[in-house]
Amino acid sequence: MEPRDPNSQQHDPSDNPNDVVSGEGDDSSAETDLTLSASATPSETNPQTSPPKTTPEAPVSDSQDDSSDPIQEDEPPQNPNPTEPGPTEPGPPAKKRRRRKKFFTELNGNPSLNKNRRSEMAKDVDVEALIAISVGFPVDSLTEEEIEANVVSTIGGVEQANYIVVRNHILTRWRSNVSVWLTRDHSLESIRSEHKGLVDSAYHFLLHHGYINFGLAPAIKEAKLKSFDGIEKGNVVIVGAGLAGLVAARQLVFMGFKVVVLEGRARPGGRVRTKKINGDGVEAAADLGGSVLTGINGNPLGVLARQLGLPLHKVRDICPLYLPDGKSVNSEIDSKVEVSFNKLLDRVCKLRHAMIEEVRSVDVPLGTALEAFRRVYNVAEDLEERMLLNWHLANLEYANASLMSNLSMAYWDQDDPYEMGGDHCFIPGGNETFVRALAEELPIFYERTVDSIRYGTDGVLVYAGGQEFRGDMVLCTVPLGVLKKGMIEFFPELPQRKRDAIQRLGFGLLNKVAMLFPYNFWGGDIDTFGHLTEDQSMRGEFFLFYSYSSVSGGPLLVALVAGDAAIKFEMMSPVESVRRVLDILRGIFHPKGITVPDPVQAVCTRWGKDQFTYGSYSYVAIGSSGDDYDILAESVGDGRVFFAGEATNKQYPATMHGAFLSGMREAANMLRVAKRRSLIPADKLNNVSEESDNLNKLFETPDLTFGSFSVLFAPTSNDLNSNSLLRVKFGGEKLDSGGLCLYGLISRNQVIELSRVDGDGNRMRMLNHDFGVRLVGRKGLSGVGESVISHITLARSNQNGGIKDDAA
């Protein structure tokens, strides 16, 4: 922005958003996350001049036996090094193939700057707005988070417009140097003094919601490991040490919370897993979980890479395809089928647009709709064209980690409008680099599989690995697959609304075979290549190969298994899987005179069988929509139980950055709840405490006790169907002197049945599944419950009064 003389103002600057930011002292730049080209690596031995070394039997491992993690894949990494030797016969002309997932723009246009407004804005403000858009902020409105945080006194109008300019400027200022902590005073340097209030509002919002001053630079990490204001906010138990859990933990510590992280595995990272494989003098780092940074503009993982000094390697889109007999696909037929495939998606998009407008409840499988249009328009009728079309469908199934028959035609790509722009990138050495740095100095308890989460007005109790952890709040970051399986019991049970969303959303499967070879035989002139098959039901089996040679440290090739083939793959032995991959590779390269050696080592994933995930990543299933992601993100128990993870992020599901951002989001939500509780008047707190104390006194002499269960009978009736007040007390002996008490109303008859059952676990199952009773905290008791308490209190006070009279 051009410098201005502050004494020559001709109008009120508050009326024009362009005048909010002054040019004085502004050292920010428009720099965003940079993509660095891959550094050239020495050429590997040419397989045509040097005979390959082979091993009689390659060591093959099944990832399930090695605690590998579910694959949260975004796009096939590729080798950007053009200097390595390639096949003697080149493939078809270079053709770009990006994993196809996005096709929703007709319904939801990507945000763009209004042309008239752009022409009026100063250049710097324009650039800063574009950077804010890349991070996910709308052009000229507030986000829901900002509205909830009350960043302005009035929605809309001049104040909001000025706030947006200030917010964008602060965001851009930090993004220009992400290794330095941006202070509030530094933010003020280039903002006009009359907008100091807006600076305070924007700065604290961006700080608390994790848009600035986050990451792994030394100055940032040091500041994040201590409370920013020294005021203790409470205790938080975090379930899961994946990206969402680790990010939330660091942010919560900074906000003043005491945090403990419980992780079922023996390592952090969750679905981000890098495995080091080696042998015969070669080694490589294979990402068996999340691997690609999808869209580097605004991506928080790109910020981490910059802070750690990691080069970002752009993923190239060149991808030749090969027929089952190893011959290259005819380029003209290839182009024809790809155009036809895109037209089919266009037609489906127009159809679903009309359906959504007219009949909102109608939904059909995406695969059914595409097949119907294929037949109507006679697309891909001969064998080669049909194989090509099936390859594109397999690519789509890879993108969504599910069969076409499972995907919602209406909403399968609902996240398209929010997609981060820029190149798709991956980093050398694997994404576990991020995980290790994020996990440093955090209180993580490994091999603590959480069995149950119990919550009430007094707090939460989390049971894991035979231990009990008590807190004010809990953040659950487990994958959707774990929630679907019901591996964690919630007491009280989760609301029906959330349980329905968990069942509606899909959680899909993608598998990989990672193979380390003695040398790179597939060449450096291609990064990815595809393989076609005549068997439509197995179209996703090893349909796509991609190279990690220039970033993994060695000649690593990875084969993808998607769709129905990914499910069948888990029934196959790892040795058989690798044999089938090698048959395909030899069918492609042997006719070209290139020998395919046995791999030095190979790893097969089994994400569907992984007890900590039961799948790879989420997708929008038939009957579901983007709203279900939002429902999964909702807290329950009056701000006691919170949820994070990629399946809670409507804008960026099925991505690593989606998980990262969800952790930041929930940390901010927990801070808001803690502040709200601290503002409750003391007399109200005393009333709640007094009510709980009175109820605890009644339960000092219950009418019946068995295990952790205590019962008070209504004194007005002996009818077996009359109401009784049940209390279940959880824990209180291991980490805290107190316990968590939940209550429910059941009949006398049910009390008798319950008392005859052995074990608290069996009693709980009977209570929930047989009787349909939902336990609640003290404040959650209904009017009937309060009436029972009143009658019991009155009856006992009369008894005590009589005793006193007799004593007198």
Side-chain angles (χ1 to χ4, degrees):
M1 179 168 291
E2 293 293 326
R4 271 186 316 186
D5 181 354
N7 297 319
S8 63
Q9 297 172 19
Q10 314 243 334
H11 58 274
D12 183 351
S14 65
D15 292 334
N16 188 346
N18 297 328
D19 292 338
V20 173
V21 184
S22 78
E24 299 171 11
D26 185 358
D27 59 0
S28 65
S29 73
E31 178 188 4
T32 56
D33 304 308
L34 302 178
T35 302
L36 308 180
S37 60
S39 57
T41 56
S43 297
E44 277 124 338
T45 305
N46 190 320
Q48 296 178 3
T49 58
S50 177
K53 285 171 58 180
T54 61
T55 55
E57 185 174 351
V60 179
S61 66
D62 185 335
S63 72
Q64 279 307 115
D65 299 330
D66 196 29
S67 185
S68 64
D69 312 354
I71 306 172
Q72 188 175 336
E73 182 75 43
D74 287 325
E75 181 145 338
Q78 303 156 14
N79 180 3
N81 187 358
T83 64
E84 294 176 346
T88 48
E89 294 180 22
K95 188 166 188 61
K96 292 186 177 181
R97 301 181 197 279
R98 181 158 289 187
R99 183 187 69 157
R100 192 58 180 270
K101 182 174 194 292
K102 314 298 180 183
F103 223 85
F104 207 72
T105 51
E106 291 88 343
L107 296 183
N108 300 282
N110 281 321
S112 62
L113 288 171
N114 179 279
K115 291 181 180 179
N116 293 331
R117 186 178 177 198
R118 181 186 301 145
S119 63
E120 298 170 0
M121 296 175 69
K123 180 181 177 181
D124 287 354
V125 173
D126 198 1
V127 169
E128 289 170 1
L130 290 172
I131 292 174
I133 290 171
S134 75
V135 176
F137 286 100
V139 180
D140 52 9
S141 61
L142 302 179
T143 64
E144 290 183 12
E145 289 179 325
E146 288 175 306
I147 293 171
E148 288 178 352
N150 296 317
V151 294
V152 293
S153 58
T154 305
I155 304 299
V158 173
E159 183 190 21
Q160 175 177 301
N162 288 338
Y163 164 84
I164 289 173
V165 173
V166 170
R167 174 249 281 156
N168 294 351
H169 180 70
I170 295 173
L171 182 65
T172 302
R173 196 178 184 92
W174 184 69
R175 285 264 171 164
S176 71
N177 188 354
V178 295
S179 295
V180 174
W181 186 274
L182 178 68
T183 65
R184 172 187 162 281
D185 289 343
H186 194 194
S187 301
L188 273 169
E189 288 179 3
S190 51
I191 306 293
R192 304 181 68 88
S193 59
E194 55 264 41
H195 297 291
K196 177 179 175 295
L198 292 178
V199 172
D200 289 342
S201 181
Y203 178 82
H204 287 106
F205 172 82
L206 294 171
L207 180 67
H208 294 159
H209 287 75
Y211 290 106
I212 62 171
N213 293 339
F214 68 85
L216 299 169
I220 305 293
K221 283 184 70 176
E222 182 181 356
K224 285 288 185 179
L225 285 173
K226 56 188 178 183
S227 172
F228 70 92
D229 61 5
I231 300 174
E232 187 173 320
K233 308 297 191 309
N235 302 318
V236 174
V237 181
I238 297 178
V239 181
L243 278 177
L246 295 175
V247 169
R250 301 190 80 85
Q251 187 75 345
L252 287 166
V253 169
F254 168 67
M255 290 172 169
F257 290 88
K258 288 184 178 179
V259 173
V260 61
V261 183
L262 307 180
E263 170 56 51
R265 304 180 193 273
R267 59 161 187 82
R271 284 173 280 172
V272 176
R273 161 70 162 159
T274 306
K275 182 175 176 60
K276 301 293 176 63
I277 54 180
N278 57 71
D280 288 357
V282 291
E283 62 179 11
D287 271 324
L288 302 178
S291 60
V292 180
L293 279 62
T294 50
I296 198 58
N297 290 351
N299 195 318
L301 298 177
V303 172
L304 300 191
R306 287 169 61 190
Q307 292 172 330
L308 295 174
L310 301 173
L312 293 173
H313 295 259
K314 177 182 177 180
V315 177
R316 296 195 303 181
D317 292 328
I318 310 295
C319 182
L321 300 181
Y322 298 97
L323 295 166
D325 61 3
K327 294 180 181 178
S328 298
V329 169
N330 180 282
S331 59
E332 291 184 6
I333 297 176
D334 189 4
S335 297
K336 173 188 173 184
V337 172
E338 186 163 20
V339 169
S340 297
F341 173 68
N342 289 333
K343 285 183 177 178
L344 289 177
L345 285 174
D346 277 329
R347 291 185 173 109
V348 169
C349 190
K350 291 174 182 176
L351 170 65
R352 57 109 173 264
H353 195 178
M355 289 174 61
I356 291 172
E357 286 184 339
E358 294 177 14
V359 189
R360 293 184 176 273
S361 61
V362 172
D363 198 3
V364 296
L366 175 63
T368 299
L370 285 172
E371 176 61 14
F373 279 116
R374 184 194 73 78
R375 293 186 178 186
V376 169
Y377 292 97
N378 301 316
V379 173
E381 293 191 298
D382 68 32
L383 180 59
E384 184 170 348
E385 289 182 358
R386 192 61 190 272
M387 286 191 294
L388 269 167
L389 181 64
N390 279 328
W391 187 90
H392 285 289
L393 293 173
N395 202 30
L396 207 57
E397 290 179 325
Y398 153 48
N400 293 276
S402 188
L403 282 65
M404 298 294 293
S405 57
N406 293 335
L407 296 177
S408 162
M409 185 195 75
Y411 299 109
W412 67 281
D413 53 356
Q414 61 82 37
D415 54 323
D416 181 38
Y418 314 103
E419 185 178 16
M420 286 185 171
D423 296 324
H424 289 5
C425 302
F426 57 104
I427 64 170
N431 291 311
E432 207 165 276
T433 304
F434 295 146
V435 170
R436 287 194 301 268
L438 287 169
E440 283 179 6
E441 299 181 75
L442 285 178
I444 304 174
F445 289 76
Y446 295 107
E447 298 181 306
R448 299 294 197 281
T449 303
V450 171
D451 305 308
S452 66
I453 295 174
R454 308 170 195 269
Y455 58 98
T457 54
D458 299 329
V460 298
L461 283 175
V462 180
Y463 290 89
Q467 284 186 282
E468 171 194 299
F469 299 83
R470 183 179 175 89
D472 297 296
M473 294 179 276
V474 61
L475 174 61
C476 181
T477 72
V478 299
L480 175 59
V482 174
L483 295 176
K484 279 180 169 290
K485 286 280 188 179
M487 301 307 294
I488 297 177
E489 290 189 279
F490 290 86
F491 299 107
E493 198 170 21
L494 293 177
Q496 189 66 46
R497 167 184 170 86
K498 187 176 285 283
R499 283 183 281 145
D500 289 345
I502 289 171
Q503 293 308 312
R504 280 193 302 265
L505 266 182
F507 196 68
L509 184 61
L510 175 73
N511 276 309
K512 291 181 181 179
V513 178
M515 298 161 290
L516 179 64
F517 289 94
Y519 56 85
N520 181 336
F521 62 84
W522 54 94
D525 60 340
I526 55 173
D527 300 331
T528 65
F529 55 93
H531 173 258
L532 277 56
T533 179
E534 294 183 15
D535 185 354
Q536 179 174 331
S537 67
M538 295 300 287
R539 65 192 177 199
E541 184 182 44
F542 315 128
F543 79 103
L544 184 64
F545 293 81
Y546 55 93
S547 167
Y548 271 105
S549 287
S550 66
V551 295
S552 67
L556 183 71
L557 193 65
V558 175
L560 295 186
V561 193
D564 196 32
I567 300 171
K568 296 175 181 176
F569 176 82
E570 301 208 341
M571 303 298 110
M572 195 186 307
S573 74
V575 172
E576 173 65 13
S577 298
V578 173
R579 184 192 67 75
R580 293 177 71 154
V581 175
L582 291 176
D583 286 346
I584 291 173
L585 289 173
R586 285 165 180 158
I588 294 173
F589 291 100
H590 281 189
K592 298 173 173 54
I594 299 173
T595 300
V596 176
D598 288 333
V600 172
Q601 189 176 355
V603 179
C604 298
T605 66
R606 294 286 187 271
W607 304 129
K609 291 183 176 179
D610 190 310
Q611 64 172 319
F612 298 111
T613 58
Y614 295 104
S616 301
Y617 44 88
S618 63
Y619 66 91
V620 183
I622 302 163
S624 182
S625 73
D627 292 341
D628 287 329
Y629 287 107
D630 287 338
I631 295 172
L632 255 66
E634 293 173 356
S635 63
V636 301
D638 192 28
R640 292 296 179 184
V641 185
F642 297 78
F643 295 84
E646 58 87 10
T648 72
N649 196 321
K650 178 179 181 178
Q651 287 79 15
Y652 311 109
T655 63
M656 292 183 289
H657 61 268
F660 186 103
L661 292 169
S662 74
M664 286 294 192
R665 177 197 70 216
E666 291 312 302
N669 286 338
M670 296 170 105
L671 177 63
R672 188 175 67 251
V673 169
K675 286 183 174 179
R676 185 190 72 202
R677 288 202 180 106
S678 69
L679 295 175
I680 297 175
D683 58 342
K684 288 193 175 182
L685 288 174
N686 291 336
N687 288 340
V688 173
S689 178
E690 186 178 338
E691 288 177 0
S692 297
D693 288 343
N694 290 338
L695 194 53
N696 288 335
K697 287 178 182 178
L698 291 178
F699 273 101
E700 287 177 0
T701 53
D703 294 310
L704 188 62
T705 299
F706 40 94
S708 300
F709 291 62
S710 302
V711 181
L712 297 175
F713 294 127
T716 56
S717 173
N718 291 321
D719 183 357
L720 289 178
N721 292 319
S722 63
N723 284 314
S724 304
L725 184 64
L726 172 72
R727 184 187 75 173
V728 184
K729 186 172 184 180
F730 301 101
E733 298 176 1
K734 298 181 181 177
L735 295 184
D736 199 288
S737 58
L740 176 66
C741 295
L742 296 178
Y743 305 89
L745 285 175
I746 63 174
S747 68
R748 283 196 180 216
N749 198 35
Q750 289 173 327
V751 171
I752 294 170
E753 286 188 57
L754 206 59
S755 66
R756 291 172 179 166
V757 175
D758 292 329
D760 284 350
N762 293 328
R763 294 180 188 121
M764 271 305 225
R765 276 186 283 277
M766 174 178 277
L767 190 68
N768 285 285
H769 301 297
D770 296 348
F771 299 163
V773 174
R774 184 181 172 210
L775 297 178
V776 297
R778 173 65 182 86
K779 284 178 20 179
L781 284 171
S782 65
V784 177
E786 296 296 342
S787 176
V788 172
I789 294 172
S790 298
H791 284 117
I792 295 172
T793 302
L794 180 60
R796 292 197 175 183
S797 64
N798 289 337
Q799 290 174 2
N800 292 336
I803 291 173
K804 288 181 181 178
D805 290 341
D806 291 341

